[in-house]
Amino acid sequence: MKKKYKCEIDCAACADKVEQAIKKVDGVEDAQVNFLMQKFTLTADSEHFDEILEKAIKAGKHAEADFEVYVK
């Protein structure tokens, strides 16, 4: 399953750092953090997607404290 979210990230280097941290989370198939569009895209197993999303956001915040994801 692939979902896109609005996010807040301060710079391109920060976005890359967050993206690399999220890609290391178990269950994450792919992740993209786009600084210019302020978008976060996560691809993960649909059966455990919400759990993986929580871990991904936590990993992103650990890598860059200012990283915010707006989940509807």
Side-chain angles (χ1 to χ4, degrees):
M1 173 183 285
K2 182 178 185 177
K3 287 191 176 182
K4 293 182 182 184
Y5 301 95
K6 181 174 173 23
C7 74
E8 186 174 318
I9 191 77
D10 293 335
C11 68
C14 297
D16 184 57
K17 189 165 107 175
V18 167
E19 186 175 299
Q20 296 307 315
I22 291 172
K23 286 181 176 181
K24 293 178 183 176
V25 173
D26 285 338
V28 172
E29 295 170 15
D30 192 29
Q32 297 173 342
V33 179
N34 186 315
F35 164 67
L36 292 176
M37 300 296 291
Q38 296 288 298
K39 295 284 183 190
F40 166 53
T41 305
L42 179 66
T43 305
D45 176 37
S46 57
E47 191 172 318
H48 303 284
F49 191 87
D50 291 337
E51 179 182 326
I52 296 168
L53 175 62
E54 283 184 39
K55 290 179 182 178
I57 292 171
K58 186 175 181 179
K61 284 186 143 309
H62 188 289
E64 184 60 45
D66 292 336
F67 178 62
E68 291 288 333
V69 176
Y70 302 101
V71 181
K72 293 179 184 179

